[in-house]
Amino acid sequence: IDWEFAKTEFIPLYERISFKKITGTPESILESLDCIKNKKPTNAGVLLFGKNPQEFFMNAYIALARYKTEEVDANRLDYKEFTGNLFQQIDSCGKYIKDNISVMSRLIKGKVQREDIFEYGWFSIRELITNAVCHRDYSNIGTKVIIKMFSNRMEFYNPGGLPKGITPRNITEMQFSRNPIIAKILAKVEYIEELGEGWNKIIKEHKEHPLKPRLPLVKSDNYAFIVDIYSAKDKFIEGK
């Protein structure tokens, strides 16, 4: 366990969001969160607070490829691997994506400041990154979370299909968690929506985006869950 991370990063964040002082030692706090049992880290504890989770879960990281084209091309612009614990993966991957998507600024009548409009909704990106590491199938050690950034869209590949009863069609109405301890802890520090409302907010963000991008496309089989979100960059010049 990375106790320094737990003490200086996680616990202060937990206290700030909950508006209360948390009593107890870091060990007792992680034990109360089901990250430690019988003085040993659980799988969730290793993934969330381990010094090097990839030592125990080889493919528990995010691989990201960036392309200049609309499809996979032999000449990638960039390739990154985001490792560390799940909080670190989410934060570093999110920062990289935000630094590498387009933004348009426009003047609003009656306002001095310009309005920045990103080609993608930022909540959608953050939620999809977090959902991918939260709900992936960690028993499948042969693959990892994969994000592909194309010129017109982003693709999020998550190992592990949807559970029985949940389909791409009803995903906004249903709730599930393959890894409930991870989901519970990420929700406590507002990395994901506690009530499972993330998908509704993704759709709402797309509908309210000033440039009206195409709604996300969701695909799933027994092995993977894939989401495509679409860029509104082509409308920057059009001014629509």
Side-chain angles (χ1 to χ4, degrees):
I1 294 292
D2 185 347
W3 293 112
E4 186 66 20
F5 174 83
K7 288 187 287 187
T8 63
E9 299 288 337
F10 175 75
I11 293 174
L13 177 62
Y14 194 179
E15 291 178 332
R16 188 163 64 250
I17 288 173
S18 63
F19 296 103
K20 61 183 180 182
K21 184 71 176 176
I22 299 170
T23 59
T25 65
E27 291 88 345
S28 65
I29 292 169
L30 265 59
E31 189 172 12
S32 72
L33 294 171
D34 295 317
C35 288
I36 294 179
K37 285 187 179 179
N38 300 320
K39 298 185 178 180
K40 294 182 180 179
T42 61
N43 288 342
V46 170
L47 289 163
L48 288 162
F49 300 103
K51 289 182 179 179
N52 182 16
Q54 291 72 41
E55 183 179 349
F56 303 94
F57 297 91
M58 183 175 60
N59 280 318
Y61 66 92
I62 302 171
L64 184 149
R66 190 159 59 94
Y67 301 90
K68 189 177 182 179
T69 54
E70 295 184 2
E71 301 293 338
V72 172
D73 185 80
N75 298 314
R76 289 190 299 231
L77 288 173
D78 202 1
Y79 175 78
K80 295 283 185 182
E81 292 180 354
F82 302 97
T83 57
N85 67 45
L86 299 190
F87 298 102
Q88 293 163 341
Q89 290 181 43
I90 294 166
D91 291 343
S92 57
C93 181
K95 182 181 185 305
Y96 177 87
I97 291 175
K98 197 168 189 177
D99 289 343
N100 287 280
I101 57 176
S102 297
V103 60
M104 177 187 76
S105 294
R106 68 176 180 179
L107 287 170
I108 305 297
K109 188 176 180 179
K111 292 186 178 181
V112 176
Q113 287 186 321
R114 290 175 175 266
E115 178 189 22
D116 288 339
I117 302 172
F118 287 91
E119 60 175 310
Y120 299 98
W122 173 241
F123 175 85
S124 298
I125 291 173
R126 177 81 176 186
E127 185 74 7
L128 289 171
I129 296 170
T130 309
N131 280 349
V133 302
C134 179
H135 300 305
R136 69 154 288 181
D137 181 1
Y138 284 99
S139 68
N140 183 350
I141 61 173
T143 187
K144 58 263 185 186
V145 171
I146 300 171
I147 300 174
K148 295 177 182 176
M149 298 178 67
F150 298 102
S151 61
N152 65 335
R153 73 188 194 284
M154 292 178 57
E155 179 183 284
F156 296 79
Y157 172 92
N158 186 5
L162 293 172
K164 187 176 181 180
I166 298 183
T167 68
R169 194 178 292 271
N170 70 9
I171 194 170
T172 57
E173 287 80 41
M174 306 293 285
Q175 182 184 7
F176 83 100
S177 177
R178 181 173 281 113
N179 306 298
I181 295 174
I182 292 174
K184 176 184 70 174
I185 293 170
L186 289 176
K188 283 184 181 294
V189 289
E190 297 183 355
Y191 269 62
I192 60 171
E193 296 295 309
E194 187 170 15
L195 299 177
E197 298 174 340
W199 268 105
N200 300 82
K201 291 186 177 182
I202 287 173
I203 299 302
K204 185 173 185 287
E205 182 178 56
H206 276 73
K207 289 181 176 180
E208 293 179 353
H209 191 286
L211 300 178
K212 307 299 180 188
R214 177 180 167 182
L215 290 178
L217 176 65
V218 179
K219 298 167 281 186
S220 179
D221 57 26
N222 292 331
Y223 307 101
F225 177 63
I226 302 170
V227 181
D228 283 349
I229 58 173
Y230 296 89
S231 171
K233 185 169 57 176
D234 60 327
K235 298 181 180 180
F236 282 5
I237 298 175
E238 297 172 14
K240 295 180 180 179

